[in-house]
Amino acid sequence: MPRLVVVSNRVAIPDPTGKGSAGGLAVALREAFQARDGLWFGWSGKVAANPSAEPKMTDKGNVRYALMDLTATDRQEYYSGFANRALWPVMHYRIGLSEFSRADYAGYLRVNRTFAGALARLIRPDDLVWVHDYHLIPLASELRALGVANRIGYFHHIPWPAPEVIGTLPGSQDLLRAITDYDLVGVQTERDADNLRRGILQEFEATQRTADVIVLDGRQTRVKGFPIAIDVSGFEQAARRPATHRLLQQTVASLGSRSLIIGVDRLDYSKGIPERMEAFERFLISNPGQRGRVTYLQIAPTSRSEVPEYASLSRTVSETLGRINGAHGEPGWVPIHYVTSAYPRNVLAGLYRIARVGLVTPMRDGMNLVAKEYVAAQDPEDPGVLVLSKFAGAAEQLGGALIVNPNDKVEVAEAMSQALHMDRVERIARWRRMMDVLRRYDISWWTDAFLKELAGQRRSGKARSPAPV
Ligand code: F6P
């Protein structure tokens, strides 16, 4: 079996306390190393005045971690600037929020080139290289320019928008060309795959060899949907464990006989958190009998707070929360509970299990693993109901959820009411439908399907010149 080299912006070295990162990418990639030895390369998350050109190496089990520090300018331009202020909003169809700067774009290309230089020295001829996330789109071009001819795959964890949308971003033509330096590109949904293939075909004189395969300048790239998944049985087990964490015990104690509605999201405008709070307010207005009988818990760990749009979102959420709780709360009942800490996976699993409704209503989302985790955590004899945005990638697989348009607060409010009133027979039938899919396409399916497909690709052809930095 060839050695696996994973590259991602965030690298999750297992925590000595056993807690580790609860993020979907971290869990998914750890699974990829279960059956394979390998190397995991990426940013250390640290800033240094004079970062070394060589990564810091750490061995844990069968994985060697190679971590690069960045300068403060690199972090600002590559991570906060181009990746999260220009690219992220466009990928999530929020063109109006995208702030492009040439300096940031140059920083993004520069960091990709630096990473490629350090990584190329570690790659062996037969390694399978698997790059993750939008921070690293140009990495394959940079590696190819250094003579790396290995099979290189890329997985895009966030949505890939329609060609007209991505076309608004300066530099998007370079990114589309750079993506064709990968042998295999995985995206979350068939819609994303179609958008990306159309983008390449419209922008260049490329040809479509088969439904999935695009050929540009003699190089062949396969673009396919591989919906990311979760460790279903691990999550089921975590949800069955007795509640020992303080948050879980307090939530159970304070709920009494009230029903719990839960939302868990990074504090990001793509997640639709203020919109969801307003939908809950609409639900309270339309269902006065539910006042004092339902609590909505929103867990929203703070994220990317150095990016102005995230700071502004944080203010909007606090204002919306304060207004709704002030207008509708009563002594002894706060309608919305809001916490910005991150909680470990087992605590979330326990909370999902006691929640009658899982509210997952992003305005746009690549997949949304919370939707899958909520389903996996349910009691098979008495499951809760998932209310899911049609704009989350998960909606392509989870037809048993109540699918809503998050832009319509009345529709989301009605779905909350329907979920709370749904009889047990229907809840079980919907849950089983979703669990069948989750069990069939779990995390080992995802890693195996992508890596098998990548290993089966023809070796790459000639290198192109990468974009100037
Ligand atoms: O969803 C895309 C993604 O990059 C994930 O891979 C990652 O876990 C998440 O966003 C968190 O973002 P950040 O690394 O900026 O905190």
Side-chain angles (χ1 to χ4, degrees):
M1 195 184 284
R3 189 176 74 140
L4 175 63
V5 174
V6 162
V7 191
S8 60
N9 177 56
R10 299 269 185 198
V11 177
I13 298 192
D15 191 303
T17 62
K19 280 193 245 138
S21 162
L25 183 141
V27 174
L29 296 185
R30 277 204 211 112
E31 172 68 28
F33 285 118
Q34 284 286 324
R36 301 165 187 88
D37 290 344
L39 175 77
W40 192 343
F41 179 99
W43 180 31
S44 63
K46 293 186 193 135
V47 163
N50 292 302
S52 162
E54 300 303 323
K56 185 169 176 267
M57 312 300 284
T58 312
D59 290 313
K60 287 263 159 96
N62 59 335
V63 182
R64 166 161 279 209
Y65 295 87
L67 301 183
M68 303 284 288
D69 293 344
L70 295 177
T71 65
T73 308
D74 284 343
R75 182 188 197 280
Q76 169 55 38
E77 294 175 348
Y78 148 82
Y79 172 75
S80 306
F82 188 72
N84 285 325
R85 243 194 135 188
L87 201 45
W88 176 275
V90 172
M91 291 285 183
H92 288 83
Y93 291 74
R94 300 294 287 271
I95 300 171
L97 291 181
S98 181
E99 287 289 334
F100 174 82
S101 115
R102 285 194 168 217
D104 288 349
Y105 184 46
Y108 174 82
L109 297 175
R110 186 178 63 244
V111 170
N112 271 274
R113 182 164 294 178
T114 307
F115 279 6
L119 178 61
R121 293 189 279 279
L122 302 172
I123 293 177
R124 301 177 194 153
D126 287 327
D127 288 347
L128 275 185
V129 182
W130 192 5
V131 179
H132 290 260
D133 255 354
Y134 57 102
H135 316 80
L136 298 171
I137 294 173
L139 198 77
S141 304
E142 297 292 347
L143 289 170
R144 301 283 184 222
L146 295 171
V148 174
N150 296 51
R151 295 179 184 89
I152 311 182
Y154 169 73
F155 191 79
H156 189 70
H157 288 257
I158 62 178
W160 194 284
E164 309 74 55
V165 176
I166 190 77
T168 61
L169 179 72
S172 62
Q173 210 184 19
D174 293 345
L175 295 179
L176 279 167
R177 185 177 279 280
I179 219 156
T180 65
D181 273 311
Y182 290 95
D183 300 299
L184 175 65
V185 175
V187 288
Q188 301 279 24
T189 66
E190 283 314 314
R191 177 172 46 199
D192 296 335
D194 182 53
N195 285 341
L196 175 50
R197 288 189 296 255
R198 283 190 301 126
I200 297 168
L201 289 168
Q202 286 178 22
E203 206 61 66
F204 310 109
E205 284 187 12
T207 49
Q208 186 153 10
R209 181 163 291 167
T210 63
D212 303 331
V213 175
I214 306 278
V215 182
L216 178 61
D217 296 345
R219 182 192 288 288
Q220 175 171 307
T221 302
R222 187 177 294 272
V223 178
K224 252 181 105 165
F226 292 88
I228 196 169
I230 60 165
D231 168 16
V232 179
S233 51
F235 220 84
E236 282 179 284
Q237 279 167 25
R240 277 199 299 264
R241 271 187 217 119
T244 50
H245 192 279
R246 192 172 46 85
L247 179 81
L248 198 44
Q249 289 175 340
Q250 280 172 351
T251 308
V252 172
S254 73
L255 273 175
S257 60
R258 290 189 192 110
S259 302
L260 178 66
I261 298 181
I262 195 164
V264 178
D265 313 79
R266 249 182 340 97
L267 189 55
D268 192 296
Y269 48 80
S270 63
K271 305 292 184 184
I273 297 168
E275 293 82 353
R276 191 183 306 166
M277 287 179 170
E278 285 175 352
F280 181 66
E281 178 181 34
R282 170 67 32 210
F283 162 81
L284 292 177
I285 293 169
S286 314
N287 298 273
Q290 292 288 338
R291 299 170 76 90
R293 299 176 66 184
V294 183
T295 296
Y296 162 27
L297 169 62
Q298 176 64 53
I299 299 178
T302 312
S303 163
R304 306 175 191 168
S305 43
E306 70 284 7
V307 177
E309 290 72 27
Y310 288 74
S312 148
L313 170 72
S314 177
R315 285 191 296 276
T316 306
V317 170
S318 299
E319 280 161 22
T320 310
L321 171 79
R323 184 184 62 68
I324 296 173
N325 280 343
H328 302 279
E330 292 162 8
W333 176 59
V334 178
I336 307 178
H337 289 229
Y338 178 64
V339 287
T340 57
S341 309
Y343 290 97
R345 192 170 97 116
N346 59 327
V347 177
L348 294 177
L351 287 169
Y352 294 146
R353 195 170 179 98
I354 57 171
R356 299 309 311 165
V357 182
L359 261 191
V360 182
T361 56
M363 311 313 279
R364 197 60 74 161
D365 215 331
M367 173 54 59
N368 200 302
L369 293 180
V370 169
K372 294 187 170 182
E373 290 172 353
Y374 175 78
V375 174
Q378 295 310 300
D379 175 355
E381 300 305 318
D382 189 18
V385 179
L386 176 65
V387 174
L388 180 60
S389 163
K390 65 192 283 192
F391 301 120
E396 265 189 16
Q397 292 181 298
L398 300 181
L402 296 177
I403 305 289
V404 294
N405 182 338
N407 296 298
D408 185 347
K409 294 182 185 94
V410 175
E411 186 182 326
V412 178
E414 284 170 0
M416 289 182 209
S417 173
Q418 188 186 343
L420 286 167
H421 291 105
M422 192 179 288
D423 65 50
R424 204 167 71 96
V425 174
E426 183 176 351
R427 282 188 279 120
I428 291 176
R430 285 174 175 272
W431 176 80
R432 283 191 183 152
R433 250 176 89 192
M434 295 191 279
M435 276 305 270
D436 282 351
V437 177
L438 294 188
R439 288 202 178 107
R440 197 158 351 126
Y441 300 103
D442 74 351
I443 190 60
S444 18
W445 169 84
W446 183 74
T447 52
D448 290 350
F450 188 94
L451 290 172
K452 203 187 266 176
E453 186 94 50
L454 179 61
Q457 298 304 300
R458 269 197 298 148
R459 271 176 175 274
S460 305
K462 60 184 185 295
R464 278 192 213 105
S465 311
V469 175

